[in-house]
């Protein structure tokens, strides 16, 4: 009788051990599954099929404007990050090749544009002494005879250009279009931040002549 009880006791301990081990394994499997799910959850910037997406904390792709590290990005209705010119709610914006929204003066396809602090493009007004047309592109001064004052002859106009000898002093602004100026405070230039150089050096660096002061 005692031998039978001993055998039953051993069997009971064995069964309890098997149950505890099974429960522990199930808990471990559940924890592993939870960790794997968390690891598979997309959060932040993810590149897929050559396009960049930004996933929020719920794992869903964002659309519209997204701010990350004090930089703004625009994602279309599919969540794809945009570069170049972007139109949103009737306004034009420009995002560089990294998708970052730009502000201030921006050159695009050989034309200059000005973007407000919120990134929106300026049009139909003057900025830093330059007129920005309806399209937003900076208006280039007409160099033909039609643009001259009736009191200004072709010879006078040409002599002004000829007088811009290679050693003539010129000033380059710290910001804005790549134009060199005759005076350091042309338009809204900051004379304290203007760089003094020569016409020859400015042209060598790709600067064009300002039509307002030359």
């Amino acid at each position: 009788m005692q031998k039978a009880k001993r055998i039953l006791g051993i069997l009971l301990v064995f069964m309890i051990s098997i149950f505890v081990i099974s429960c522990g394994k199930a808990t471990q499997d559940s924890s592993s599954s939870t960790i794997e799910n968390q690891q598979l959850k997309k959060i932040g910037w993810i590149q897929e099929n050559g396009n960049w997406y930004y996933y929020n904390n719920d794992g869903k792709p964002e659309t519209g404007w997204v701010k990350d590290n004090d930089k703004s990005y625009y994602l279309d209705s599919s969540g794809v990050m945009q570069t170049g010119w972007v139109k949103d709610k009737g306004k034009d914006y420009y995002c560089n090749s990294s998708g970052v929204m730009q502000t201030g003066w921006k050159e695009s396809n050989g034309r200059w544009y000005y973007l407000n602090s919120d990134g929106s493009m300026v049009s139909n007004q003057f900025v830093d002494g330059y007129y920005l047309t309806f399209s937003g592109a900076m208006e280039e001064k007409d160099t033909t005879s039609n643009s001259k004052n009736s009191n200004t002859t072709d010879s006078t106009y040409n002599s002004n250009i000829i007088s811009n000898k290679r050693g003539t002093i010129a000033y380059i602004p710290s910001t804005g279009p790549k134009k060199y100026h005759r005076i350091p405070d042309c338009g809204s230039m900051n004379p304290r931040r203007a760089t003094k150089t020569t016409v020859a050096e400015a042209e060598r660096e790709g600067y064009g002549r300002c039509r307002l002061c030359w």
Side-chain angles (χ1 to χ4, degrees):
M1 186 69 177
Q2 291 181 351
K3 185 176 181 180
K5 289 183 179 179
R6 184 181 302 171
I7 292 174
L8 287 174
I10 293 173
L11 288 174
L12 181 60
V13 171
F14 178 75
M15 292 178 64
I16 292 174
S17 299
I18 293 297
F19 177 77
V20 171
I21 292 173
S22 298
C23 290
K25 188 175 186 304
T27 302
Q28 183 179 5
D29 291 342
S30 177
S31 299
S32 298
S33 177
T34 301
I35 293 174
E36 287 177 0
N37 290 334
Q38 290 177 345
Q39 291 175 342
L40 292 175
K41 189 176 182 180
K42 299 176 181 178
I43 297 177
W45 289 106
I46 302 291
Q47 188 176 32
E48 299 175 335
N49 299 321
N51 296 317
W52 283 97
Y53 300 81
Y54 188 86
Y55 290 87
N56 57 29
N57 292 332
D58 294 327
K60 297 179 180 179
E62 292 280 3
T63 59
W65 289 104
V66 168
K67 198 159 189 176
D68 183 44
N69 292 327
D70 294 326
K71 295 178 181 178
S72 296
Y73 302 82
Y74 186 79
L75 312 173
D76 68 10
S77 58
S78 298
V80 178
M81 185 191 77
Q82 301 296 292
T83 60
W85 288 104
V86 170
K87 184 174 285 292
D88 181 49
K89 297 179 181 178
K91 295 183 178 181
D92 293 292
Y93 302 81
Y94 190 88
C95 299
N96 66 14
S97 58
S98 297
V100 180
M101 184 194 76
Q102 303 294 287
T103 60
W105 286 103
K106 176 64 186 177
E107 185 178 17
S108 176
N109 296 324
R111 303 298 299 273
W112 282 93
Y113 301 82
Y114 189 82
L115 308 168
N116 288 312
S117 58
D118 65 354
S120 60
M121 184 190 72
V122 175
S123 61
N124 295 326
Q125 67 183 71
F126 284 92
V127 174
D128 294 340
Y130 299 94
Y131 184 71
L132 301 166
T133 62
F134 176 78
S135 68
M138 185 184 74
E139 183 179 63
E140 294 289 345
K141 289 286 184 176
D142 188 1
T143 59
T144 65
S145 58
N146 292 332
S147 67
K148 304 183 188 68
N149 187 295
S150 59
N151 296 324
T152 305
T153 64
D154 288 347
S155 60
T156 302
Y157 183 75
N158 291 332
S159 66
N160 287 335
I161 297 177
I162 294 172
S163 66
N164 296 338
K165 297 180 180 179
R166 295 180 64 81
T168 301
I169 297 299
Y171 297 89
I172 296 175
S174 59
T175 60
K178 294 191 69 172
K179 303 288 184 181
Y180 63 81
H181 303 262
R182 182 176 59 83
I183 53 178
D185 57 350
C186 176
S188 59
M189 280 178 60
N190 184 343
R192 295 183 178 180
R193 301 184 64 181
T195 301
K196 186 177 181 181
T197 183
T198 64
V199 170
E201 185 62 28
E203 291 180 344
R204 188 178 300 114
E205 294 181 6
Y207 287 84
R209 177 168 56 86
C210 172
R211 307 295 185 183
L212 299 178
C213 60
W214 285 100

